Amino acid sequence: MCLRAVSACASAQWQISYVASVPVITVDGPSGVGKGTISHMLADRLGWHLLDSGALYRVTGQACVIEGVSWDDDPAVADVARHLDVAFSLAANGEMLVAYKGLDVSAAIRTEEGGRGASTVAAIPAVREALFARQRDFLQPPGLVADGRDMGTVVFPDAPLKFFLTASAAERAERRYKQLLEKGESVSLPRLLADIQERDERDSSRSVSPLVPAEDAIVIDSSATPISDVFARVMLEVKKKGFI
Ligand code: DC
């Protein structure tokens, strides 16, 4: 997997035609469905770039906290998104590091509060517009695995292979509960479930780029399915398309 710093440049016309032939595989779905894990595994296996679009929304939420901007102040949040000074890199252990203005925010953006902030700012149309070109910028040879909510519907609608992962909210809350316990964080399972349901509702009902599967997406229900089986199913489709 290759990661690179995000540049703020809007793609020029020649860049668009240059990257037109670069393949993209989109992996969309709600929080906690395992799409991050699947996307990492896929990018590793193919040696392609990885776009974690949720991280861009998470950094925007965190940047607002740092800059003292309220998540409800739409014009100010959009301004933060437009000028987002963010860089991605890989730690020695393979984990993705995220920096805002050179400050490591990797842990802060992954908290439950970070998720709430991301989901709130992601509902602002001007924020989505500001982050659109940055996401398209990740489209570089030899290929891109794009993880998010609207990768297959809005950001890369022409992607030749699209996945949409689903799992029940109860199952996702349970998985998140175990992850947080392993990290030594004390959490309440009912609270996690309520948070997930609230976030699903916000992500699915917003006016712009709501969380819906693309018409041509392959929908995989990952409830009660080991991640290795989900990955095997994904790889089957990747091979069918001749990417490997
Ligand atoms: O994938 P994630 O949990 O890191 O995403 C955090 C939030 O960001 C999620 O609640 C909705 C938002 N998001 C989005 O609106 N569009 C994307 N492409 C990715 C994430």
Side-chain angles (χ1 to χ4, degrees):
M1 171 185 32
C2 331
L3 276 172
R4 60 190 190 80
V6 184
S7 79
C9 74
S11 301
Q13 191 57 47
W14 68 267
Q15 281 176 303
I16 290 172
S17 53
Y18 166 64
V19 296
S21 59
V22 178
V24 191
I25 298 176
T26 59
V27 185
D28 288 308
S31 299
V33 79
K35 63 192 159 48
T37 307
I38 291 292
S39 298
H40 268 90
M41 290 167 81
L42 192 52
D44 268 343
R45 181 76 171 78
L46 294 170
W48 288 8
H49 296 276
L50 174 69
L51 164 61
D52 175 358
S53 60
L56 283 172
Y57 290 98
R58 285 174 182 268
V59 178
T60 303
Q62 186 61 27
C64 289
V65 173
I66 293 170
E67 305 297 347
V69 167
S70 160
W71 293 333
D72 298 328
D73 184 347
D74 293 15
V77 177
D79 208 44
V80 167
R82 267 181 226 112
H83 300 102
L84 202 65
D85 176 0
V86 60
F88 294 91
S89 59
L90 273 185
N93 63 3
E95 241 177 64
M96 186 175 73
L97 296 177
V98 187
Y100 171 70
K101 286 186 174 171
L103 180 77
D104 185 356
V105 292
S106 319
I109 65 168
R110 297 291 167 203
T111 60
E112 294 308 296
E113 185 65 0
R116 245 191 310 280
S119 176
T120 308
V121 302
I124 303 171
V127 168
R128 304 199 74 85
E129 206 180 304
L131 297 181
F132 181 83
R134 283 170 187 262
Q135 294 173 81
R136 292 285 309 184
D137 261 359
F138 276 78
L139 189 52
Q140 298 288 334
L144 177 69
V145 176
D147 159 358
R149 302 290 188 289
D150 60 343
M151 298 295 98
T153 49
V154 175
V155 183
F156 301 106
D158 296 332
L161 187 54
K162 301 176 184 178
F163 294 100
F164 190 91
L165 304 189
T166 62
S168 69
E171 173 83 24
R172 290 182 282 129
E174 185 79 35
R175 284 182 199 167
R176 182 75 182 139
Y177 180 68
K178 285 184 187 149
Q179 272 176 359
L180 290 172
L181 280 189
E182 274 166 24
K183 280 197 213 164
E185 290 181 36
S186 77
V187 280
S188 134
L189 184 56
R191 173 77 204 274
L192 271 181
L193 179 58
D195 275 359
I196 282 185
Q197 286 168 329
E198 186 190 313
R199 210 170 337 148
D200 281 358
E201 170 62 20
R202 198 163 40 226
D203 293 349
S204 308
S205 62
R206 66 183 174 225
S207 61
V208 280
S209 309
L211 170 66
V212 284
E215 273 180 16
D216 50 350
I218 296 165
V219 179
I220 302 176
D221 187 337
S222 73
S223 306
T225 310
I227 206 79
S228 54
D229 289 4
V230 177
F231 187 61
R233 168 91 172 83
V234 164
M235 285 309 294
L236 206 67
E237 301 296 336
V238 169
K239 281 177 189 155
K240 266 198 227 165
K241 283 278 175 195
F243 291 136
I244 210 156

